[in-house]
Amino acid sequence: MRILGIETSCDETAAAIVGGDGTIFANIVHSQIDDHTPFAGVVPEIAARAHIEKLDGVISKALDDAGCTLADMDAIAATAGPGLIGGVIVGFTTAKALALATGKPLIAVNHLEAHALTVRMTGDVAFPYLLLLVSGGHCQILLVQGVGQYRRLGATIDDAVGEAFDKTAKLLQLGFPGGPAVEHRARDGDPDRFALPRPMMGRPELDFSFSGLKTAVRQTAQKLGDEITYQNISDLCAGFQTAIADVLSDRISRAIRTCRAESSEPITTFVLAGGVAANRFLRDRLQATATEADLPFTAPPPALCTDNGAMVAWAGVERFRLGMLDDLRAAPRARWPLDGNAPALPFAGAKS
Ligand code: KG4
Ligand code: ZN
């Protein structure tokens, strides 16, 4: 089996070809970082235009790298949401055109499902599993019961984790994207130097809140005034990252207990996914949390945590196997929750 996967929901223009056993034959990611750096954040209109410019070339390169043509594909999969709608329209309409022209089946992939299932491409993870999905637009705890079967156990009530990293980096003038920059500087910092809050820690519900932490970082930085030295910034980054780790660890320990108490079928694994899962420090802390609870831990390799086409192609593989195909009437969606029964998340960082 060979599935083409197309990803354009944020600021990566990406295409990949993946086989039924998870072999990645090609995985091309064109990052738009340079286009957005002057604005210290992703500008939706610039993103959509850049996808238009780059996508054809990225798909051709993926086919060349894999030594295939479109005729060799079993299906065309593309992110159909959630995400920045201009970019989603570019990728999904391209997929529809390719499907129509070649007569191949079309698969509309939920970007969050692509993150959620990546570990089944890179390893052997059986359903049901507990998932912490942390990215630039999302922060959710989900019970993954099967392909297309999700139960949301908790979510952020304000900012997403990646968003908090990006805003902290912007405040400290560390550049864009912020996550890797903050992680890097935190290595030189003392996490105990500044007392920062751990919002929601110890609360019984499985939700998150990061806006108070972000405000505390801003106030601490303002108090330092002209004292924004290399060491002060590093200490703030270390304090911020450790506060995030403490909160995530607390929420996940509680979620594991909840699943064990409530779920009829035992969870097999704790999975960390989404762009923020590329963070080594958070991976290590959450691995330790799972180990303490005697639960196996896994996360995709860092390059497959941030947005890429292989995860979309793999979601296509999983859906294709189950006959979950779409037709040309399928529409791109800015919002598309994995758990349709969970209440809508109204806040900026809770885009599903
Ligand atoms: O999954 P992703 O590529 O795009 C979305 O679906 O949102 O996630 C991007 C987010 C950004 O906020 C970025 O700063 C964050 O993931 N990120 C990180 C790291 N690498 C990427 N956050 C913390 N540490 C990192 N190493
Ligand atoms: Zn993503």
Side-chain angles (χ1 to χ4, degrees):
M1 192 199 297
R2 298 269 191 286
I3 306 267
L4 170 65
I6 296 172
E7 161 58 36
T8 57
S9 68
C10 192
D11 60 339
E12 266 87 28
T13 311
I17 291 143
V18 170
D21 62 355
T23 303
I24 301 174
F25 295 103
N27 188 27
I28 308 295
V29 181
H30 168 78
S31 166
Q32 302 175 359
I33 287 179
D34 293 346
D35 300 316
H36 301 290
T37 294
F39 308 96
V42 178
V43 182
E45 177 67 21
I46 292 176
R49 285 167 191 260
H51 288 307
I52 293 174
E53 248 172 57
K54 298 288 179 197
L55 184 56
D56 289 357
V58 166
I59 294 171
S60 300
K61 175 99 174 56
L63 289 166
D64 284 353
D65 274 16
C68 299
T69 66
L70 283 173
D72 302 317
M73 298 300 112
D74 290 281
I76 316 285
T79 296
L84 300 174
I85 194 65
V88 174
I89 290 172
V90 173
F92 193 51
T93 307
T94 301
K96 279 184 177 181
L98 294 177
L100 184 65
T102 57
K104 306 284 178 185
L106 172 73
I107 301 170
V109 170
N110 181 313
H111 180 86
L112 304 175
E113 174 159 84
H115 278 304
L117 299 177
T118 307
V119 286
R120 289 168 49 84
M121 169 174 68
T122 54
D124 220 1
V125 180
F127 300 121
Y129 53 87
L130 181 68
L131 170 70
L132 175 62
L133 178 45
V134 273
S135 70
H138 302 275
C139 175
Q140 306 182 14
I141 302 178
L142 294 145
L143 181 62
V144 183
Q145 292 158 316
V147 178
Q149 293 172 47
Y150 300 88
R151 192 151 80 79
R152 198 181 77 210
L153 304 177
T156 183
I157 59 164
D158 42 55
D159 291 348
V161 185
E163 195 178 1
F165 268 94
D166 293 337
K167 286 177 178 169
T168 295
K170 191 170 177 178
L171 176 83
L172 300 175
Q173 296 183 354
L174 295 178
F176 166 83
V182 171
E183 179 180 15
H184 185 72
R185 287 299 291 273
R187 285 192 202 121
D188 294 340
D190 169 7
D192 300 322
R193 162 96 184 281
F194 299 109
L196 295 171
R198 268 89 175 135
M200 309 293 270
M201 230 168 108
R203 293 273 283 266
E205 68 275 32
L206 294 172
D207 291 332
F208 304 85
S209 165
F210 296 106
S211 72
L213 175 59
K214 180 186 65 188
T215 306
V217 170
R218 192 182 63 237
Q219 287 169 342
T220 309
Q222 278 165 350
K223 263 190 232 145
L224 289 167
D226 294 338
E227 292 292 300
I228 283 288
T229 59
Y230 184 93
Q231 196 54 51
N232 283 342
I233 291 179
S234 304
D235 292 346
L236 258 175
C237 287
F240 166 81
Q241 188 173 253
T242 301
I244 297 266
D246 287 350
V247 170
L248 296 181
S249 169
D250 171 75
R251 310 283 71 202
I252 288 307
S253 313
R254 192 171 284 267
I256 293 170
R257 289 200 298 275
T258 303
C259 283
R260 285 182 170 152
E262 287 177 12
S263 176
S264 46
E265 206 183 329
I267 45 171
T268 64
T269 314
F270 166 56
V271 172
L272 180 65
V276 178
N279 184 298
R280 273 266 143 229
F281 181 80
L282 296 179
R283 287 166 86 99
D284 290 349
R285 277 293 306 273
L286 288 164
Q287 170 144 37
T289 305
T291 304
E292 246 168 57
D294 206 15
L295 187 67
F297 167 91
T298 192
L304 295 174
C305 288
T306 46
D307 290 350
N308 63 85
M311 69 183 199
V312 178
W314 175 255
V317 168
E318 296 252 30
R319 292 195 153 249
F320 185 79
R321 275 192 201 135
L322 298 168
M324 299 164 90
L325 306 177
D326 295 276
D327 65 32
L328 294 171
R329 284 169 303 184
R333 300 172 65 170
R335 285 177 180 254
W336 185 359
L338 281 179
D339 178 355
N341 295 319
L345 298 169
F347 299 99
K351 297 196 181 73
S352 67

